[in-house]
Amino acid sequence: MQLSSRVETLTPSLTLAIDSKAKAMKAEGIDVCGFGAGEPDFDTPDHIKAAAQAALDAGFTKYTPSSGVPELREAIAKKFAADNKLEYKPSQIIVSNGAKQSCYNAIMAVCDPGDEVIIPAPYWLSYPEMVRLAGAEPVFVATSEENDWKITAAQFEDAMTPKTKMIILNSPGNPTGSVYTREELRAISEVAAEEEIYILSDEIYEKLVYDETEHVSIGSLTPEAYDLTITVNGFSKAYAMTGWRLGYLGAPEAIARAIDSMQSHSTSNPCSFAQKGGLAALKGDQQCVADMREEFNIRRAYMHGRLNAINGITAVKPLGAFYVLANINALGLNSTNFADRLLSKANVAVVPGIAFGDDRTIRLSYATSMDMIKKGIDRIEEFAKTL
Ligand SMILES: Cc1ncc(COP(=O)(O)O)c(C=O)c1O
């Protein structure tokens, strides 16, 4: 069968492959410790569920405007102003089926075939595929542990060619847990402004930052950065709403209009009653976010400390999100072999770094119980001794 060239270059998600292997083992009754999760292990807070239930009961079950209901777009505009110092009008906000669709929309709206998009590696694995779906080309820039897995303005400048159209930034980052400082973002924004490179700033893990870490939105730094930036965020990670499929972006008016039109011809509106849940999430008490963050923080410290204490494993301390990216290179296996053997010999599921463009590392999510983390790391410790 002749499929489109667009889909023929797509690679299936490695994270899903590991996940299904781990699930199959669990189904056989094997006690697997899973660190693959990309979603909070908490339930969606009750007041958010209640708002969606009330919307359902009231018959709020029809099409809405394709970019979201006005009151949600207004609430998101207020959130951007209050939390991110980003002044967007509601018309500049597009609500979509998850931050994933928001990223996809942003790339599709800006990139043409032949354009280059700079992606710091390790990266969230959907970015390169989205760029390829747009016909553009991902250009990877390897970051290092010495710089906490962050691209520098100089590296950005070096990677630029006349074809460069966009850079994708993800702070706090998946899989690294890295958070860019204001100064780092300012330097990157200056390089982008010089050459008028668009910035896709994926801030989905914004609420999950630890210690004294400050989350900064690059689009808020200068008027030039604002004009070039598409800021993506959503409800999945902050409010444990992954299954609701609700995310959003704020963008310069012309980009927002283009995305509005694109979405109206592809998916139309995100789920009507989920939008009411999203509204309750933004307007309600934010203590639920603080409580989840506190629990994540305890696990983060424990997981990071234990992993670093294992001979042959090093990990940069993550300042955000809910992942630890551990370097296992000194143990003599590449990431796929390490993850495969760890799963079959020690019943521990992790994601090989190759999925994120770095074959020396594995990603562990701490969006799982403390008991599971303790048991799983004990097993990793024993496994590492056998290598
Ligand atoms: C960096 C990053 N961006 C976006 C998403 C997608 O989030 P959503 O559930 O809102 O589509 C994820 C989910 O794993 C992510 O890790």
Side-chain angles (χ1 to χ4, degrees), residues 38 98-100 124 127 170 174 202 204-205 236-237 245-246:
K100 189 176 253 185
W124 179 46
Y127 299 138
N170 173 214
N174 173 11
D202 179 354
I204 185 80
Y205 293 98
S236 288
K237 317 290 176 171
R245 309 312 303 128
L246 203 62

Side-chain angles (χ1 to χ4, degrees), residues 38-39 97-103 124 127 130 170 172-175 202-205 232-237 241-243 245-248 322-323 363:
E39 58 185 348
N97 296 284
K100 189 176 253 185
Q101 191 192 8
S102 302
C103 289
W124 179 46
Y127 299 138
M130 290 176 181
N170 173 214
N174 173 11
D202 179 354
E203 304 180 11
I204 185 80
Y205 293 98
V232 168
N233 210 320
F235 297 88
S236 288
K237 317 290 176 171
M241 290 172 68
T242 47
R245 309 312 303 128
L246 203 62
Y248 54 86
F322 42 64
Y323 309 103
R363 189 195 76 179

Side-chain angles (χ1 to χ4, degrees), residues 90-109:
S91 58
Q92 293 176 266
I93 309 290
I94 310 289
V95 189
S96 297
N97 296 284
K100 189 176 253 185
Q101 191 192 8
S102 302
C103 289
Y104 184 66
N105 282 345
I107 292 167
M108 291 297 278

Side-chain angles (χ1 to χ4, degrees), residues 45 49 59 61 77 87 98 105 145 168-169 171 175 184 198-199 219 237 289 302 322:
K49 289 189 198 170
T61 55
E87 298 294 336
N105 282 345
E145 286 143 296
I168 302 182
L169 294 176
S171 177
E184 288 163 344
Y198 288 103
I199 303 165
K237 317 290 176 171
V289 182
Y302 180 83
F322 42 64

